């Protein structure tokens, strides 16, 4: 077959998966290294006592690293995805992230990436819902892919810089155009690939955490942003690898 196709099929899903879970990996590792700070923070915020706070950090640590290992080794991917969904929800509540729209949208976008992973693992047949007859062409898988695409778009909205310089207006227009294409599923692979390259550029330029000394708070902040963006890039790469799924313009064109 066509060599680029082979690469897309063989290697891209792995790269995509690694990018997608990088934010969970990084966060899990951070729980390990900042065990005391994280525990004290939760204890102080929620007054839940030492033991519960420690449990929370432990669940975060094991849940994230465990799920990442499962996803990368392709075992129980669905359970791992549900585990990470749970952790996103848990963190959203525990860190009271809910009050910051940007954070909320990013967490939703991470959920979108996980939905795509879930849809991809469903495609491999070893499904938890093995006995359920498929509902023709619009199976839950395709709605997962649609949902995943739309949620990834949210992440993108958080990266849009609302200042009125010419460059950022151009950036926003190009970005918005691509994002709409990805969401409706028109020329999806090309749009998603362009977005990947662009996001990667933006990420390396704006979130260069390695240029900031580790003891400054900004270092952690940029690092967090960097890995979150990497996760969204992973989600987009899954779209490049797998195509948009059934509920999309690309698929509709085939049936016309």
């Amino acid at each position: 077959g066509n060599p680029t196709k082979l690469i897309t099929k063989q290697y891209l899903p792995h790269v995509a998966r690694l990018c997608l879970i990088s934010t969970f990996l990084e966060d899990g590792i951070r729980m390990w290294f900042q065990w005391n700070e994280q525990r004290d923070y939760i204890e102080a915020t929620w007054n839940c006592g030492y033991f519960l706070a420690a449990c929370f950090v432990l669940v975060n640590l094991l849940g994230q690293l465990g799920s990442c290992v499962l996803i990368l080794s392709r075992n129980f991917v669905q359970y791992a995805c549900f585990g990470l969904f749970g952790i996103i929800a848990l963190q959203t509540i525990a860190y009271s992230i809910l009050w910051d729209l940007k954070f909320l949208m990013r967490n939703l976008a991470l959920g979108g990436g996980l939905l795509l992973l879930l849809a991809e693992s469903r495609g491999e047949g070893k499904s938890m819902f093995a006995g359920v007859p498929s509902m023709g062409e619009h199976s839950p898988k395709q709605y997962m892919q649609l949902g995943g695409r739309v949620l990834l778009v949210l992440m993108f909205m958080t990266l849009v810089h609302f200042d009125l310089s010419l460059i950022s207006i151009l950036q926003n227009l190009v970005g918005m155009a691509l994002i709409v294409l990805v969401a409706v599923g028109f020329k999806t692979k090309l749009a998603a690939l362009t977005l990947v390259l662009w996001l990667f550029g933006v990420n390396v330029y704006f979130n260069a955490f390695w240029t900031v000394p580790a003891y400054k708070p900004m270092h952690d902040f940029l690092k967090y942003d960097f890995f979150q963006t990497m996760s969204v890039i992973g989600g987009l790469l899954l779209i490049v690898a797998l195509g948009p799924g059934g509920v999309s313009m690309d698929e509709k064109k085939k049936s016309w």
Side-chain angles (χ1 to χ4, degrees), residues 205-218:
Y205 180 72
F206 283 113
N207 295 326
F209 65 88
W210 51 90
T211 58
V212 180
Y215 57 85
K216 291 194 174 166
M218 201 61 194

Side-chain angles (χ1 to χ4, degrees), residues 14 17-18 20-21 24 65-81 84 114 117 120:
H14 291 294
R17 263 182 236 114
L18 185 61
L20 225 171
I21 61 172
F24 298 109
L65 296 182
S67 299
C68 289
V69 169
L70 289 178
I71 287 170
L72 286 180
S73 64
R74 321 287 316 232
N75 294 313
F76 305 109
V77 173
Q78 290 164 329
Y79 296 111
C81 286
L84 290 176
L114 288 175
L117 252 184
E120 184 218 17

Side-chain angles (χ1 to χ4, degrees), residues 226-237:
F226 180 84
F227 282 107
Q228 286 237 303
T229 311
M230 282 309 283
S231 286
V232 174
I233 288 173
L236 288 166
L237 281 174

